[in-house]
Amino acid sequence: MPEARNQPEADGQSERDARYWTPRRARLFNLALQSSDFPAQAVKALGPALDGCATVLDVGAGVGALTVLLAKGGYQVTALEPKAVMLQELQDGLARNRLANVTCIQSAWDTHVVAPHDLILVANVAPIFDDLLPFLIEAEPLARQSMALVQNVGPGSEKFYYGELYPHLLGRPYPGREDYLRTLTLLHSIGIYANAQIVSYRFDQPFDSFPEAVQLWKELMHLETADQERRLVAFLEGRLERLGDRWIAPMRRQSAVIWWRVASEDAA
């Protein structure tokens, strides 16, 4: 589930909660990424921003949704990720793919721990998008060539079927979220007329068993009653599909890939 950064959430507060990312949730998210075409679609859309670049700083790299593919493309990547469980999944992925051109740093965004890179990339890192202007002020001077942002399109109600399940199980609408239009408006207001491309992709979530899927939704939505669980099970029985030894929750998502060239000091 790319969102951003690349990841599932029950609501905005849970997404910021460091306790959200347990090893099991990180593993499930990584499984979804491995079968998703999100990385390929996003990196393809980033093509013009990557032109002339050799180094990339992936801020909030998560389990490596974009880091791994960029590294496979020959870029020297620095992956900045504060959560140890996510960084471990990323490092495991780098080892599986025998990639040695990635430097991993366990840290949130901090100008004191990063050096200039040709491209600075942020994909679905909610705390950064919630307070984007200070990040841009700090980050743009460190970008030699380009800045790029990848952000979800839509209010998030399609994610984990929240738009249907919140009213059905909790009796209230899903609270939703701000999407890429807010970001484009902010950029425009400070004189950055960015390029934007909407990419559509699969983000199916695999599970080893049906009970594992039920348990995840119970945790994500904080369900407490037997009646809620009964209705959840009935809903998932109509949505999940059996694929070999696994169950799949089919999902379709969209993200906006936003990028711009930074002002060259040489031209100043």
Side-chain angles (χ1 to χ4, degrees):
M1 327 161 181
E3 205 160 252
R5 135 209 85 275
N6 329 337
Q7 65 226 59
E9 80 276 2
D11 51 39
Q13 183 176 359
S14 296
E15 187 171 343
R16 294 164 180 78
D17 186 350
R19 295 173 298 177
Y20 176 87
W21 285 109
T22 64
R24 183 172 65 86
R25 289 181 183 175
R27 179 186 66 85
L28 286 172
F29 180 65
N30 206 3
L31 281 175
L33 273 174
Q34 289 174 28
S35 60
S36 173
D37 57 339
F38 165 71
Q41 295 286 357
V43 170
K44 180 179 179 181
L46 284 170
L50 288 162
D51 187 33
C53 295
T55 61
V56 179
L57 173 62
D58 188 357
V59 180
V63 299
L66 301 182
T67 292
V68 170
L69 194 55
L70 288 167
K72 285 182 176 180
Y75 297 97
Q76 188 68 42
V77 184
T78 300
L80 197 66
E81 172 53 49
K83 301 177 185 66
V85 66
M86 304 292 275
L87 200 62
Q88 185 60 58
E89 288 283 337
L90 169 54
Q91 290 171 326
D92 290 346
L94 295 173
R96 283 194 305 271
N97 288 280
R98 299 182 180 181
L99 294 169
N101 52 328
V102 177
T103 300
C104 295
I105 301 175
Q106 186 178 345
S107 175
W109 168 253
D110 186 339
T111 56
H112 295 97
V113 300
V114 296
H117 287 67
D118 295 333
L119 170 67
I120 295 181
L121 167 67
V122 182
N124 295 316
V125 183
I128 286 181
F129 282 107
D130 287 346
D131 198 17
L132 186 58
L133 186 56
F135 168 77
L136 294 176
I137 292 172
E138 292 181 348
E140 196 168 43
L142 296 175
R144 298 191 190 99
Q145 302 273 359
S146 307
M147 292 281 297
L149 309 172
V150 181
Q151 191 172 10
N152 297 302
V153 172
S157 58
E158 79 290 348
K159 190 172 189 178
F160 288 98
Y161 315 124
Y162 287 147
E164 297 172 84
L165 282 175
Y166 263 66
H168 184 54
L169 301 180
L170 302 178
R172 55 186 171 88
Y174 177 67
R177 65 183 177 213
E178 297 281 357
D179 78 346
Y180 79 105
L181 288 177
R182 177 187 181 190
T183 296
L184 284 179
T185 300
L186 171 63
L187 294 174
H188 191 276
S189 72
I190 59 176
I192 296 174
Y193 308 119
N195 305 278
Q197 180 180 342
I198 307 299
V199 296
S200 301
Y201 49 88
R202 304 183 320 277
F203 216 93
D204 300 344
Q205 178 61 62
F207 297 95
D208 290 333
S209 68
F210 189 84
E212 182 181 48
V214 173
Q215 183 60 34
L216 179 66
W217 262 276
K218 285 176 62 178
E219 293 173 0
L220 290 174
M221 300 187 67
H222 308 290
L223 304 183
E224 298 177 348
T225 71
D227 181 62
Q228 287 175 325
E229 182 173 351
R230 178 186 58 78
R231 286 184 286 156
L232 171 64
V233 168
F235 179 89
L236 294 180
E237 285 176 340
R239 292 303 182 91
L240 269 60
E241 301 172 357
R242 191 68 181 264
L243 184 63
D245 294 334
R246 284 182 169 168
W247 291 83
I248 304 294
M251 298 183 197
R252 299 295 181 268
R253 308 287 299 282
Q254 289 185 308
S255 287
V257 178
I258 303 166
W259 68 274
W260 64 98
R261 292 284 182 180
V262 300
S264 171
E265 292 184 0
D266 296 337

